[in-house]
Amino acid sequence: LRLRQGEGRSRAGGPERYAQRLLQLRELQEQRERAAAACRERVAARRRVGEERQARGQAEWAAFQARKKAVALSSLGRRLGGREAAAQAVGRIQARERDKERQVCEARVENIKLKHEIQHLETILKAQGELVEGQHFMDFEHMKKENQKHSKKIDDLNDEILKLKKKVSNAVHILSQFREKLHFVEAENQGRKAELMDIERVLSRKRDILTKSKQARDRLRRENLKLQQKRGLLGNEILLRDFEEKVDTVELLSRRLETLKCHHASLILTCRGIQKKIKEANSSFLA
């Protein structure tokens, strides 16, 4: 109960604290804008002063380099045996000095930039530390809502996981049954293959016997055909009977032919007698 009362109080005071933090944020933004304007003015003034100092420094540095070059030429000219050799040596030395001076200037500028960046980051961290206190309550409420959503999602995912586990167990059971059936079918297939090999061997032997039988049958057919050609009509009652019938028919037809010839001859003689009588009758009628 105390925890719930504390949560209720914190919820009731949350909007007021949020409004206060917003006012503080606006004031800080205004202060930052004023400070930025003043800073820009100071930067412009310091930039002008720096440019003036840089111009004076460059002039003094050029005068110093010229003076140093003159002294070096006078001192090295005696040692190196000539003004040209001394001028070359002094030029190399001054070139190295210019490079070192340039590197030192770049390092100083980089150091100044890093210092300003550190100060800027410290200011940002301080401002964020003040804002974090006001955002804790809002973050807590948001996290509670997100936690509730995630808990619901977790429950749904747990239900789905249970369903998937059941499906997987069923699939594993079915797969084990299929494996057992597969082993049984493979064993049966091996037995059938052995039987098939035996049948193929028997079939090959029977094929050889059948081939030999066909060859013997063809040989006997050829021999039978030769014998039939040699014997002619002997031993074939049907052909003999047909031949006898044809012979009888030929004799009968020949006798009928002779009879018809005789009848035809008698008819010719009769026709001739009738024609003769007709001629005689015509001649007597005309006379």
Side-chain angles (χ1 to χ4, degrees):
L1 291 173
R2 289 178 181 176
L3 290 172
R4 291 179 180 176
Q5 289 175 0
E7 289 179 359
R9 290 175 183 174
S10 62
R11 289 178 183 176
E16 295 178 357
R17 292 179 64 188
Y18 181 69
Q20 291 176 1
R21 297 302 180 186
L22 286 176
L23 291 173
Q24 291 177 1
L25 180 61
R26 289 175 184 173
E27 291 177 357
L28 289 172
Q29 288 177 352
E30 291 176 357
Q31 291 177 4
R32 187 184 66 179
E33 290 177 357
R34 290 193 295 270
C39 183
R40 285 194 293 271
E41 292 177 357
R42 288 195 299 271
V43 167
R46 289 182 180 180
R47 185 174 293 172
R48 289 192 297 271
V49 174
E51 289 175 355
E52 292 175 357
R53 288 180 179 178
Q54 187 175 4
R56 288 197 303 271
Q58 288 178 356
E60 291 176 358
W61 178 257
F64 174 71
Q65 290 293 329
R67 179 63 179 168
K68 186 168 65 174
K69 184 176 181 180
V71 174
L73 287 173
S74 62
S75 62
L76 291 175
R78 299 172 185 175
R79 295 180 183 179
L80 298 176
R83 191 174 180 83
E84 293 180 358
Q88 292 177 359
V90 171
R92 289 193 295 271
I93 293 168
Q94 287 184 343
R96 287 197 296 271
E97 287 181 355
R98 284 194 296 271
D99 292 335
K100 290 181 180 180
E101 187 66 24
R102 181 177 55 79
Q103 292 175 2
V104 170
C105 290
E106 291 177 355
R108 286 175 180 173
V109 172
E110 187 68 24
N111 189 14
I112 292 167
K113 289 181 180 179
L114 291 173
K115 285 182 179 180
H116 287 300
E117 188 174 358
I118 290 168
Q119 291 176 358
H120 180 65
L121 291 173
E122 288 177 352
T123 305
I124 291 171
L125 288 173
K126 288 179 181 179
Q128 287 180 353
E130 293 176 356
L131 292 173
V132 164
E133 294 179 358
Q135 291 179 354
H136 280 318
F137 178 74
M138 295 175 66
D139 293 336
F140 178 72
E141 293 294 329
H142 181 69
M143 288 175 68
K144 282 178 69 177
K145 292 180 181 179
E146 291 292 331
N147 191 11
Q148 290 176 358
K149 291 180 181 178
H150 288 304
S151 62
K152 290 181 181 178
K153 289 182 180 179
I154 289 168
D155 293 333
D156 295 334
L157 290 173
N158 288 326
D159 295 334
E160 291 180 359
I161 288 167
L162 290 173
K163 292 179 181 178
L164 290 173
K165 284 182 179 179
K166 290 180 181 179
K167 289 181 180 179
V168 169
S169 62
N170 293 327
V172 169
H173 182 66
I174 293 168
L175 184 61
S176 62
Q177 290 180 353
F178 275 113
R179 284 179 180 174
E180 291 177 357
K181 289 182 180 179
L182 181 62
H183 290 306
F184 177 74
V185 171
E186 286 179 352
E188 188 176 0
N189 193 11
Q190 292 294 329
R192 295 288 178 84
K193 283 183 179 179
E195 292 178 0
L196 182 62
M197 294 294 290
D198 295 334
I199 292 169
E200 286 181 352
R201 286 194 293 270
V202 174
L203 183 61
S204 63
R205 288 197 298 271
K206 289 186 177 181
R207 282 177 181 172
D208 295 335
I209 294 168
L210 181 62
T211 303
K212 292 178 181 179
S213 299
K214 286 182 178 180
Q215 291 175 357
R217 183 195 63 187
D218 294 334
R219 187 173 62 255
L220 291 173
R221 281 182 179 177
R222 288 193 297 271
E223 291 177 357
N224 190 13
L225 183 61
K226 289 179 181 179
L227 292 173
Q228 286 180 359
Q229 290 176 357
K230 288 180 180 180
R231 74 180 181 179
L233 297 176
L234 295 175
N236 195 344
E237 295 180 357
I238 296 171
L239 291 175
L240 288 172
R241 190 178 294 109
D242 184 63
F243 181 72
E244 290 176 356
E245 289 177 355
K246 286 182 178 179
V247 170
D248 295 335
T249 304
V250 169
E251 290 178 355
L252 180 62
L253 290 174
S254 61
R255 286 195 296 271
R256 288 185 64 186
L257 181 61
E258 292 295 332
T259 304
L260 290 172
K261 284 180 179 180
C262 293
H263 183 65
H264 184 264
S266 63
L267 289 174
I268 290 170
L269 292 173
T270 303
C271 287
R272 287 178 181 177
I274 292 168
Q275 288 177 358
K276 187 177 180 181
K277 288 179 180 181
I278 290 169
K279 287 180 180 180
E280 290 176 356
N282 287 328
S283 62
S284 63
F285 179 74
L286 291 172

